[in-house]
Structure formats: C-alpha cells, structure tokens
Amino acid sequence: MKRLSTDRLWAIAVLTPSVILLAVFVYGFIFRTAYTSLTDWGNDPAQAFSLTPIIRFIGLQNYHDLFTSNLNARFRQDLVSTLFFTVFFIAGCLGLGLSMALLLDRNPKAEGIWRTIFLFPMSLSFIVTGTIWRWMLQPQGGLNQLFHLNPASNGWLTSRDSVWSFDWNKLPLITATIVGLVLLWVAWLAFRDGQRTRTWVALGCAALLLLWALVIGPNVKLLPAPELHGFNIAFIGIIIAAIWQMSGYTMALYLAGLRGIPEELREASRVDGANEWNTYRHVIFPLLAPITLSAMIILGHISLKIFDLVFAMTGPDNGPTDVPALLMYITSFRQNALAVGAAIGTVLLLLVAVIIIPYLFSQFKTQEGHA
C-alpha cells in the first residue's frame, strides 16, 4: 500500500505541470474566446487594441448576425464551402488511400519504394503543398501546359462559377430533413439489433423532425430575401492538393488494417465458395470499418479548420476559396473585430466537437465493454 501511494504521488507530481499548462493555455483560452464572442469587442475598430477598450456584454448577438445578417453573407458562403470541401476531401482520401493500400497488400515488386512514394506527401507541411500546387494550377502553370488545356477556360483557382446552389433560408428545412433521415436509419439499426427502447426514441425524434420539416420548416425565413450559396469550382484545385497530401495517411491506416487480418479468414471464405469480390465485401471491408471511422474523424477535423493550405494557394483575398478559419483571421486582425472573429472560431470549435465527441464517447464505451 505504501509503495502504491508513493507511485501515485510521483504520478501526480509528473502530471501536474502538464495539467496546469493544458488548463491555462488550452481550456483557459477556449473559455476566453467563447466569452469574447459574447461581447462587442472590436465593434469600434479604432479602440479595439487600446489599453483600456470599452467592452460590453451582448450575449449571442454576434452569432445571430453571423447566420442572419446581410453583412455576413461571406461567412455563410465560407461555411458552405467548408462543408463541401470536407465531404469531397474525406471521400477522396478514403477512396484513394484504400486503393493504394489494396495494391500494396498484394506485395508488388519494390513495395518499399512504392510505400515511400505514397507516404512522401504526408511529410510535407500544408504550406509547402500549397506552394507546389499553386504553381501547378496557375493559368500558365504545370497542369494546363502538361495536358495542353486552355488557360482561359481552366482557371483552377480563379473560377467564379458555382454548382449545387441552395437558398440559405432553406437551411433549417434541409437540416431537419437530413437529421430526421439519419435518425430513421439509427432506428432501423436499433430495431435490427433488438433494442426496442432506442428504436422508439429514434423513431419519435425522427417523426417530430420530419413533421416540423413538412409543416413549419417551409415557412421559416432566416433572411428577408433569398441568398444562394453553393460549391465554388475554384475549390477543386484545393481539394486535389489536400487529397494528394493526406491520402498517404489513410493508405498507411488501411494497409496496417489489411496486414492485421488473419489469413485464415480469407482462406475460410474461399473454402465457402466466395470469390475475390465477395471476400472483400463480406469479410475484409467490415473488419476495416473501425479504421474508416477513425480516418473520417481525423480527416474531418483537419478539413473543418483548414487554413494554411488555402492561404498558401490563393491568399486571404480570394473570395471563392475562402474558409471560416481564414475569415476569422481577416476579421480579427485586419478589421479588428475581435468579438466577431472569436464567434467564428467558436463556431468552428463546435463543428469539430460535433465530430469528435460522439467518436470519443463510442471509444470509451467500447473500452468499458472490453474491461
């Protein structure tokens, strides 16, 4: 018992400095940023950085203005662009990474060289990657010259065209519908597993959301006039660069997962008469599901707070390729609107938390189940 107490004291002594630093420089600054977003600090840019700025508490007004004020249309477009970027970035990294892992899993010649080539982009910073791809995607740059493309019609980073546009006023309706459909899917999974309570709860919540979407949703207006937002074509170049850098990471994850699957499982599926595709579909891919989830979480939080890649490729003043993190920088340090910048940062934090917290909860629940 005495030795155990000594070990605990040493553990506390070693961990205390890290806990204090984490509490002050991470959670303390998060709390400070959240509080700043509830004030009007920077509404008067002239005194934002004065020694004694006049700061008033205004509650959620900054958040209300970000989502409903005509002056913040840029933030709303940046948010939509980030969501599109996240979807294509994750899909591209997972698809390309899995393809490369499947190729390497077949033990090709010079496998070590190929693995190094696939992993090399991940060793670069986003600034270096952005600088390389900015040159390649210039109108007179590498890709247009390599494929003999017309620079006037292939402005990879300068296009002003957009697709899949929707009215911002319909965002509550779209969100309620998507969440309702997801809850229906959750209810189906719970019903299949025999979890009746979870099934009825998910069905009830889905029914309420879908009923709201049908009856009340069409009448909800966030803005006095329609405001269209969509996917800017100029983001395609940035998505290509991001996938080029991070697909090697997902390749490494999938390759480790493939090499960890016992060969006996593959042999058993072949004995049962399964062909190559059915073996992967019913045996290999289900076993890779946890790796896919982990990769999606990591790539998702990277994409939501992307800043340096966009800054290196298009700079801070190219509206079609703007993202919330870049707008937060411009708002805070160019316009001196510190409270609005803090509100944008808090929105990004909440978006990341929406992805991270359910994953952590499921991981802790799984560990408790094994314990």
Side-chain angles (χ1 to χ4, degrees), residues 311-359:
F311 191 94
M313 292 187 69
T314 61
D317 301 313
N318 189 26
T321 57
D322 205 3
V323 290
L326 190 58
L327 181 62
M328 177 183 65
Y329 164 78
I330 295 172
T331 303
S332 300
F333 301 109
R334 281 191 176 182
Q335 302 174 4
N336 293 344
L338 298 178
V340 178
I344 296 174
T346 304
V347 171
L348 287 177
L349 176 65
L350 293 176
L351 289 176
V352 173
V354 167
I355 294 178
I356 296 289
I357 291 178
Y359 171 72

Side-chain angles (χ1 to χ4, degrees), residues 25-77:
F25 292 102
V26 176
Y27 295 104
F29 285 175
I30 289 175
F31 175 79
R32 178 61 180 175
T33 300
Y35 174 77
T36 301
S37 70
L38 303 176
T39 68
D40 66 346
W41 193 2
N43 284 2
D44 181 6
Q47 59 92 36
F49 289 103
S50 65
L51 294 177
T52 57
I54 301 174
I55 303 175
R56 296 177 301 170
F57 183 84
I58 59 174
L60 299 175
Q61 185 62 44
N62 289 323
Y63 297 95
H64 179 270
D65 292 341
L66 284 176
F67 288 95
T68 62
S69 173
N70 291 330
L71 300 177
N72 290 297
R74 181 176 179 179
F75 166 76
R76 294 188 285 273
Q77 177 57 56

Side-chain angles (χ1 to χ4, degrees), residues 127-143:
I127 293 294
V128 175
T129 298
T131 303
I132 295 171
W133 281 91
R134 180 180 62 187
W135 173 80
M136 294 181 63
L137 298 177
Q138 288 295 319
Q140 303 299 332
L143 285 186

Side-chain angles (χ1 to χ4, degrees), residues 351-369:
L351 289 176
V352 173
V354 167
I355 294 178
I356 296 289
I357 291 178
Y359 171 72
L360 294 178
F361 178 77
S362 64
Q363 289 295 103
F364 290 146
K365 190 173 181 180
T366 301
Q367 291 178 3
E368 290 178 357

Side-chain angles (χ1 to χ4, degrees), residues 1 86 214 227 301:
M1 181 65 69
T86 299
L214 290 174
E227 183 180 279
H301 100 269

Side-chain angles (χ1 to χ4, degrees), residues 47-115:
Q47 59 92 36
F49 289 103
S50 65
L51 294 177
T52 57
I54 301 174
I55 303 175
R56 296 177 301 170
F57 183 84
I58 59 174
L60 299 175
Q61 185 62 44
N62 289 323
Y63 297 95
H64 179 270
D65 292 341
L66 284 176
F67 288 95
T68 62
S69 173
N70 291 330
L71 300 177
N72 290 297
R74 181 176 179 179
F75 166 76
R76 294 188 285 273
Q77 177 57 56
D78 294 351
L79 197 61
V80 172
S81 297
T82 300
L83 295 178
F84 277 115
F85 173 80
T86 299
V87 171
F88 291 118
F89 172 62
I90 292 177
C93 287
L94 293 179
L96 185 58
L98 179 60
S99 300
M100 293 189 297
L102 291 174
L103 289 176
L104 292 178
D105 189 48
R106 294 180 177 274
N107 299 315
K109 293 182 179 180
E111 178 187 343
I113 297 176
W114 286 112
R115 191 189 304 118

